[in-house]
């Protein structure tokens, strides 16, 4: 049964959902506050203003789950990325002898692209989809409700220009700062929400390899480590680009100077592993330092005790569940929720209660697991940095984190099964509740220890 769907937000979740919904026969309107790319052939990193996505120019790593989902649900998006020159890379297979490969290792292939390039491929595919229309630039600024015997139902969305758009289903893809739960609260509809600050500030910078650079380019993906003020991590990009991000605690006052390009460069040059990569002989900066703070792990629940808190509304992407960007799970989970939403609209067949319950059944376990793990990993790091004692109620969770850390330091490069368990975890290959739980990883680490 065809449903008119209004997708709020045309980022990763919104465009992916629009593609999937339209392909199931639902007419879709995407409301997006930012203008479309003026020239789709120009480098979107440099030429697409995206004020609605503050992380647009910050480094992203696209996990294997993101690629696997595109292969299954929107292979043409992956084909478009490839055609535009984006590379895919399976570092695990690259690092082990060919005669040890098994078919499942193919599921560990990552997409090496800048966020802007990845998003442009989704956006252009959505624009070409016959059932998708963009209202853009247009700002969503409120909801209208019908009060039915089954509960409140979202009937329409108000735009800042005064227009009101009606729909059978509204999909909130407005990102982590989505105002939708506030709009619901104003009507007395409570969305239970868990939030934990990531307590991380990112100071990042993109470069492009020079023609004369002789560094082993793929090794940028494995560059990571500690420095005086926190951690650094390397990101491979598309079209000879790469980035480094410094990740520091917000209370670290000396780290704040990293926002200045000269200081960022001086610090990078002082780290032996990074120095050659920021040498002008090897890389030309694409921009100044990009700073981002205030990220949160977040989980909103729209079904409570088996009942939807509101009808006619689903939430996908960071507005439903966000994790610390440092773990690289956000985009893949945004795609997960987006494709699940399209499936739930089909299963619900016009029944808003059935749609909400089908969506919750498809997403809740994974969203809970991602939130739990992101928040727990952050607390483990924060206790370590600040020296705060672990409260009694967090002891068991922190003991699990310690076991996982010990397993990760136990030779993921030297034992194939441990390496595979590690890859399943970082790439979210498998149900999130299983791969993030750590049991698999700990089991292989213990087996390895017993063998030594
Ligand atoms: C610093 C940083 C680094 C990250 N690194 C990684 C990484 O390495 N790997 C990874 O997988 N993920 C990473 N992420 C997470 C990833 O960016 C998000 O998970 C992903 O963007 C979520 O997609 P989304 O569509 O839910 O939200 P968004 O991409 O934020 O899209 C929301 C959209 O809604 C629009 N919008 C907002 N308000 C309105 C309104 N009122 N009306 C109309 N439109 C509106 C915005 O313009 C935007 O287009 C990172 C995030 C951050 C902050």
């Amino acid at each position: 049964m065809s449903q008119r769907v209004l997708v709020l937000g045309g980022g990763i979740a919104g465009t992916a959902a629009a593609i999937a919904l339209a392909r199931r026969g639902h007419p879709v309107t995407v409301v997006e506050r930012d203008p479309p790319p003026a020239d789709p052939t120009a480098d979107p990193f440099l030429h697409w203003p995206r004020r609605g996505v503050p992380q647009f120019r910050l480094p992203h790593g696209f996990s294997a789950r993101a690629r696997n989902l595109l292969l299954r649900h929107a292979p043409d998006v992956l084909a478009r990325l490839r055609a535009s020159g984006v590379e895919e890379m399976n570092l695990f297979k690259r690092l082990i002898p060919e005669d040890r490969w098994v078919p499942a290792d193919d599921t560990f292939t990552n997409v090496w692209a800048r966020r802007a390039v990845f998003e442009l491929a989704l956006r252009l595919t959505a624009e070409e989809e016959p059932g998708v229309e963009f209202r853009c630039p247009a700002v969503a600024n409120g909801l209208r409700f019908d009060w039915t015997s089954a509960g409140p139902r979202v009937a329409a969305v108000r735009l800042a220009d005064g227009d009101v758009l009606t729909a059978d289903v509204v999909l909130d893809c407005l990102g982590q700062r989505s105002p939708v739960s506030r709009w619901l609260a104003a009507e007395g509809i409570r969305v239970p929400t868990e939030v934990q600050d990531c307590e991380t500030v990112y100071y990042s910078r993109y470069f492009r390899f020079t023609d004369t650079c002789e560094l082993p380019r793929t090794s940028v993906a494995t560059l990571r480590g500690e420095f005086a003020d926190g951690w650094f991590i390397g990101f491979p990009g598309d079209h000879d680009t790469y980035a480094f991000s410094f990740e520091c605690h917000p209370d670290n006052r000396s780290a704040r100077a990293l926002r200045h390009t000269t200081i960022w460069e001086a610090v990078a040059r002082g780290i032996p592993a990074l120095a050659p990569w920021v040498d002008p002989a090897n890389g030309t900066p694409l921009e100044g330092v990009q700073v981002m703070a205030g990220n949160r792990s977040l989980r909103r629940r729209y079904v409570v005790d088996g009942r939807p808190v509101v009808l006619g509304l689903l939430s996908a992407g960071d507005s439903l569940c966000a994790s610390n960007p440092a773990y690289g799970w956000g985009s893949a989970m945004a795609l997960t929720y987006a494709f699940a939403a399209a499936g739930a609209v089909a299963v619900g067949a016009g029944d808003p209660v059935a749609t909400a319950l089908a969506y919750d059944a498809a997403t809740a376990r994974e969203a809970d697991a991602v939130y739990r793990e992101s928040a727990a990993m952050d607390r483990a790091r924060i206790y370590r940095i600040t020296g705060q004692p672990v409260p009694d109620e967090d002891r068991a969770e922190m003991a699990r984190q310690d076991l996982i850390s010990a397993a990760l330091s136990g030779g993921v490069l030297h034992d194939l099964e441990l390496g595979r368990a590690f890859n399943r975890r970082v790439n979210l290959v498998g149900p999130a509740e299983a791969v993030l739980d750590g049991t698999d990883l700990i089991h292989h680490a213990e087996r390895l220890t017993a063998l030594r």
Side-chain angles (χ1 to χ4, degrees):
M1 183 181 181
S2 172
Q3 300 280 289
R4 286 170 309 136
V5 185
L6 204 49
V7 174
L8 307 184
I12 290 177
T15 46
I19 294 166
L21 284 157
R23 288 180 183 174
R24 287 175 180 264
H26 307 291
V28 181
T29 302
V30 181
V31 176
E32 167 54 47
R33 53 157 281 172
D34 283 343
D39 175 2
T41 63
D43 183 345
F45 181 90
L46 299 172
H47 300 289
W48 188 9
R50 269 318 247 121
R51 293 182 57 197
V53 182
Q55 71 271 32
F56 195 65
R57 287 177 180 74
L58 276 103
H60 278 56
F62 291 98
S63 68
R65 174 187 279 233
R67 177 180 177 275
N68 298 341
L69 283 167
L70 289 180
L71 269 177
R72 182 157 8 120
H73 297 281
D76 48 335
V77 174
L78 198 58
R80 187 187 283 274
L81 284 164
R82 287 176 186 147
S84 75
V86 166
E87 274 182 84
E88 293 150 89
M89 178 59 68
N90 192 319
L91 272 184
F92 181 67
K93 284 178 69 176
R94 228 182 136 105
L95 290 170
I96 64 173
E98 200 171 331
D99 61 354
R100 310 298 300 278
W101 292 355
V102 298
D105 294 340
D106 289 336
T107 61
F108 301 145
T109 304
N110 299 104
V111 175
W112 281 6
R114 288 166 294 169
R115 153 75 191 232
V117 170
F118 189 88
E119 192 180 315
L120 182 68
L122 281 164
R123 169 71 187 230
L124 296 178
T125 307
E127 280 180 359
E128 285 169 13
E129 195 60 41
V132 178
E133 180 202 356
F134 276 83
R135 274 294 288 261
C136 161
V139 174
N141 77 351
L143 300 174
R144 290 212 176 148
F145 298 85
D146 281 341
W147 295 86
T148 71
S149 56
R153 176 172 184 162
V154 173
V157 173
R158 255 192 345 260
L159 303 187
D161 64 11
D163 260 11
V164 173
L165 306 179
T166 57
D168 299 312
V169 180
V170 172
L171 184 58
D172 168 18
C173 298
L174 293 175
Q176 191 178 142
R177 306 278 164 193
S178 168
V180 165
S181 59
R182 280 204 318 274
W183 297 340
L184 294 172
E187 298 294 325
I189 302 163
R190 197 178 144 264
V191 179
T193 304
E194 285 177 80
V195 184
Q196 186 184 293
D197 202 306
C198 298
E199 298 196 24
T200 311
V201 188
Y202 305 88
Y203 303 90
S204 311
R205 203 159 187 219
Y206 262 103
F207 294 82
R208 195 184 300 277
F209 288 113
T210 59
D211 293 341
T212 52
C213 171
E214 289 183 358
L215 294 169
R217 297 180 180 203
T218 51
S219 45
V220 73
T222 56
L223 279 174
R224 58 193 61 206
E226 288 191 31
F227 75 113
D229 287 316
W231 287 263
F232 63 88
I233 178 163
F235 291 84
D238 54 282
H239 299 93
D240 291 332
T241 60
Y242 62 100
F244 291 105
S245 201
F246 290 119
E247 300 175 2
C248 308
H249 193 269
D251 292 347
N252 183 333
R253 300 181 76 83
S254 66
R256 292 180 197 164
L258 284 166
R259 66 180 58 244
H260 304 295
T261 304
T262 46
I263 307 282
W264 194 100
E265 280 177 356
V267 170
R269 277 199 302 270
I271 300 172
L274 289 193
W277 301 85
V278 297
D279 184 329
N282 294 322
T284 309
L286 291 191
E287 38 139 34
V289 178
Q290 300 284 314
V291 184
M292 189 153 179
N295 294 293
R296 305 169 304 165
S297 296
L298 173 148
R299 171 79 171 104
R300 295 193 174 103
R301 288 193 175 73
Y302 282 85
V303 171
V304 177
D305 297 332
R307 291 168 59 101
V309 299
V310 63
L311 302 176
L313 176 80
L314 305 176
S315 169
D318 280 3
S319 64
L320 179 72
C321 175
S323 49
N324 186 330
Y327 309 137
W329 298 327
S331 306
M333 291 312 296
L335 294 175
T336 302
Y337 306 131
F339 295 132
V345 170
V347 169
D351 174 342
V353 175
T355 304
L357 295 181
Y359 183 58
D360 191 62
T363 55
R365 269 195 305 274
E366 289 211 304
D368 285 345
V370 168
Y371 174 78
R372 172 194 173 187
E373 198 63 12
S374 175
M377 286 167 74
D378 283 352
R379 289 199 305 283
R381 176 178 47 84
I382 292 160
Y383 294 139
R384 210 168 40 243
I385 297 173
T386 60
Q388 283 173 47
V390 177
D392 285 347
E393 64 276 15
D394 217 5
R395 287 251 160 86
E397 186 65 286
M398 291 304 107
R400 188 178 67 87
Q401 288 298 321
D402 286 346
L403 285 174
I404 291 172
S405 301
L408 291 176
S409 62
V412 290
L413 290 179
H414 304 297
D415 180 77
L416 285 183
E417 291 316 315
L418 187 56
R420 289 190 174 106
F422 166 75
N423 267 283
R424 283 192 289 274
R425 177 181 170 87
V426 295
N427 283 302
L428 291 179
V429 172
E433 64 276 19
V435 295
L436 295 181
D437 163 76
T439 311
D440 190 16
L441 199 62
I442 294 163
H443 161 75
H444 288 298
E446 285 173 351
R447 180 184 48 75
L448 190 59
T449 310
L451 286 177
R452 279 180 180 149

